[in-house]
Amino acid sequence: MLPPASGNRLRYSSLSRLDALHFLSFTFFQECPSGVVNEETFKEIYSQFFPQGDSTTYAHFLFNAFDTDHNGSVSFEDFVMGLSILLRGTVQEKLNWAFNLYDINKDGYITKEKMDKNKDGVVTIDEFIESCQKVSTQ
């Protein structure tokens, strides 16, 4: 459960990293006492943040991005490492994470014509990063 957006927002934003990690750990283990979450449970938890629509497809992609060893579960460590990259990683690390999110079958390519610089039908990590960096400088 995330802190309310009211008066607790200032208090939460001023938490130390250790306090934030403790809060995240407490929340994770409250929802997943075994210390790991499978895809179905992940989708159920994720859907609570988007009650107006069907978030299962995107939750599936997110789960796979957090499940870096592809064992069908996300441990607390996997989750924290993913969040750490998203929140504090370098631009390169964030772009690699985002590419992994959209590389649905994990073959090293994204099939999207708009980013396919050499028009070979697939987007490589290099083309993805180049496209993202081009957009960020415009």
Side-chain angles (χ1 to χ4, degrees):
M1 178 78 104
L2 295 175
S6 60
N8 286 340
R9 177 178 241 156
L10 179 61
R11 187 175 74 221
Y12 181 72
S13 67
S14 63
L15 290 175
S16 73
R17 288 182 187 169
L18 186 58
D19 288 338
L21 185 59
H22 184 269
F23 174 78
L24 187 59
S25 171
F26 175 80
T27 305
F28 187 93
F29 283 96
Q30 191 173 26
E31 292 291 329
C32 308
S34 67
V36 296
V37 60
N38 64 28
E39 185 172 351
E40 288 308 309
T41 303
F42 185 88
K43 287 177 180 178
E44 289 172 18
I45 294 168
Y46 191 77
S47 71
Q48 294 173 20
F49 294 96
F50 302 97
Q52 305 301 330
D54 182 6
S55 62
T56 57
T57 300
Y58 192 69
H60 168 75
F61 297 146
L62 276 176
F63 179 83
N64 285 337
F66 282 112
D67 181 16
T68 56
D69 56 3
H70 311 293
N71 67 355
S73 64
V74 173
S75 69
F76 178 68
E77 183 179 350
D78 294 334
F79 188 65
V80 169
M81 293 301 292
L83 289 179
S84 177
I85 290 169
L86 292 171
L87 297 172
R88 302 191 190 285
T90 65
V91 171
Q92 184 73 36
E93 290 169 331
K94 290 176 183 180
L95 289 173
N96 283 332
W97 197 93
F99 182 87
N100 182 51
L101 175 67
Y102 292 109
D103 180 10
I104 297 168
N105 62 358
K106 306 302 179 218
D107 65 354
Y109 302 102
I110 299 174
T111 52
K112 196 71 170 167
E113 294 173 25
K114 191 173 185 180
M115 296 178 131
D116 186 9
K117 297 294 182 189
N118 62 2
K119 307 296 183 209
D120 63 355
V122 295
V123 178
T124 64
I125 185 71
D126 293 331
E127 290 171 317
F128 178 78
I129 290 171
E130 181 183 333
S131 293
C132 291
Q133 288 175 332
K134 183 178 180 183
V135 169
S136 70
T137 61
Q138 292 178 349

